């Protein structure tokens, strides 16, 4: 099986070359490239919280990195599972944080959910919205008619998180779904922040009451990625995120390349122990990873090397030698763990300590 091609279908940049023993991309060591990612990909599909900002505060260096990526010709799009706010509101927040953004550069799970409904319903169909203004606006933009009660006999129920969600909203949604309405959820994040219940938890109310599971539009399901590609016209998109189970899995499932940044919820140990569906194409400390080359991980006699670091595995034991930047050591360690399957959590913790990196999970 050939290695995954580069964005334009050519051979992979600098990394492992195709051959009869090459593995699928997500079982391979991280890809290397001598060119900046901003030069290789036409659009960065950026997650927000944990990538551009964290808890409403700008991540140091993020705005500057994005400005430089845009100046080099890379287009920026902001892709979020948050269905409660409108693209205009999100763009205004980004601009206020020093990241100039337009509403048409923001793609939300509400828009992906509305497209799912529009593809299945006639124009003007009634849709019961169990959610906020972001979801209602997305429904209207697709030529559908948002309603608030089951008595309106909606053809579909669209549910998305809103802090104003009430029992009355859920009850009306449950009645409509029980009567046969199509059930679509913007996303299924159970706990987007700490232990606060997210939409994935809240959709269980209607699902449990009716015995019907919804179609899911948001990450890691493919519809939101497809929406982002359609709205941006991206030919060579790069998914950029901080979460393995949403951003990176979405890229893997959609066949897109991805950059994992360590400014959000994913810790180095999470990356080392990631399963195949959660493995990124590239790894960086933050958004500055868009601007420079990514050193290749080389393999010589069972030793994985990157920059000045060397990682060898033997019977479950991991040996780390060398020196250099810690992120290069992490790249070598991830490549060793993903390729051999022989690095368990204790061994990974010990190796990360040798690299001087945090070694607890997120």
């Amino acid at each position: 099986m050939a290695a995954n091609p580069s964005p334009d279908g050519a051979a992979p940049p600098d990394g492992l070359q195709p051959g009869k023993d090459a593995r699928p991309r997500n079982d391979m060591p991280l890809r290397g490239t001598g060119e900046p990612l901003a030069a290789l990909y036409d659009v960065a599909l950026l997650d927000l919280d944990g990538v551009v900002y964290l808890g409403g505060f700008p991540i140091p260096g993020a705005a500057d990195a994005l400005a430089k990526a845009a100046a080099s010709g890379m287009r920026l799009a902001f892709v979020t599972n948050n269905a409660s706010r409108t693209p205009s509101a999100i763009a205004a927040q980004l601009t206020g944080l020093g990241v100039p953004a337009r509403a048409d550069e923001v793609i939300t799970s509400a828009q992906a959910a509305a497209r799912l409904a529009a593809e299945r319903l006639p124009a003007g169909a009634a849709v019961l919205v169990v959610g906020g203004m972001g979801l209602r606006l997305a429904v209207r933009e697709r030529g559908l008619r948002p309603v608030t009660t089951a008595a309106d006999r909606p053809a579909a129920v669209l549910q998305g998180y809103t802090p104003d969600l009430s029992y009355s909203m859920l009850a009306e949604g449950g009645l409509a779904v029980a009567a046969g309405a199509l059930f679509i959820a913007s996303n299924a994040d159970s706990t987007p922040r700490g232990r606060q219940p997210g939409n994935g938890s809240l959709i269980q109310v209607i699902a449990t009451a009716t015995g019907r599971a919804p179609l899911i539009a948001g990450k890691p399901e493919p519809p939101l990625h497809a929406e982002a590609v359609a709205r941006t016209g991206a030919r060579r998109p790069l998914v950029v995120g901080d979460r393995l189970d949403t951003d990176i899995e979405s890229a893997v499932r959609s066949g897109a390349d991805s950059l994992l940044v360590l400014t959000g919820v994913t810790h180095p140990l999470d990356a080392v122990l990631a399963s195949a569906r959660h493995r990124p194409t590239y790894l960086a400390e933050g958004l500055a990873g868009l601007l420079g080359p990514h050193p290749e991980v080389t393999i010589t006699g069972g030793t994985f090397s990157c920059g000045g670091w060397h990682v060898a595995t033997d019977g479950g034991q991991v040996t780390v030698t060398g020196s250099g930047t810690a992120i290069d050591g992490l790249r070598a360690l991830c490549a060793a763990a993903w390729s051999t399957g022989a690095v368990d959590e204790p061994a990974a913790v010990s190796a990360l300590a040798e690299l001087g990196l945090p070694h607890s999970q997120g």
Side-chain angles (χ1 to χ4, degrees), residues 176-188:
V177 171
L182 177 67
F183 187 19
I184 299 174
S186 63
N187 65 294

Side-chain angles (χ1 to χ4, degrees), residues 103-210:
D104 64 356
E105 294 172 322
V106 177
I107 300 97
T108 72
S109 63
Q111 293 170 325
R115 182 188 289 265
L116 283 181
E119 290 172 344
R120 291 160 172 78
L121 303 176
V127 174
L128 198 159
V129 174
V130 181
M133 184 55 67
L135 199 54
R136 296 182 68 84
L137 178 62
V139 167
R140 289 194 190 100
E141 287 180 338
R142 284 293 170 189
L144 302 171
R145 180 167 56 91
V147 299
T148 56
T149 70
D152 292 306
R153 303 180 68 180
V157 171
L158 265 63
Q159 182 172 347
Y161 174 80
T162 174
D164 302 323
L165 189 69
S166 66
Y167 175 80
S168 176
M169 279 180 158
L170 291 168
E172 293 297 325
L175 289 170
V177 171
L182 177 67
F183 187 19
I184 299 174
S186 63
N187 65 294
D189 298 358
S190 297
T191 54
R193 289 186 183 176
R195 291 299 172 186
Q196 294 176 321
N199 199 53
S201 299
L202 298 170
I203 60 177
Q204 296 306 316
V205 176
I206 293 177
T208 300
T210 63

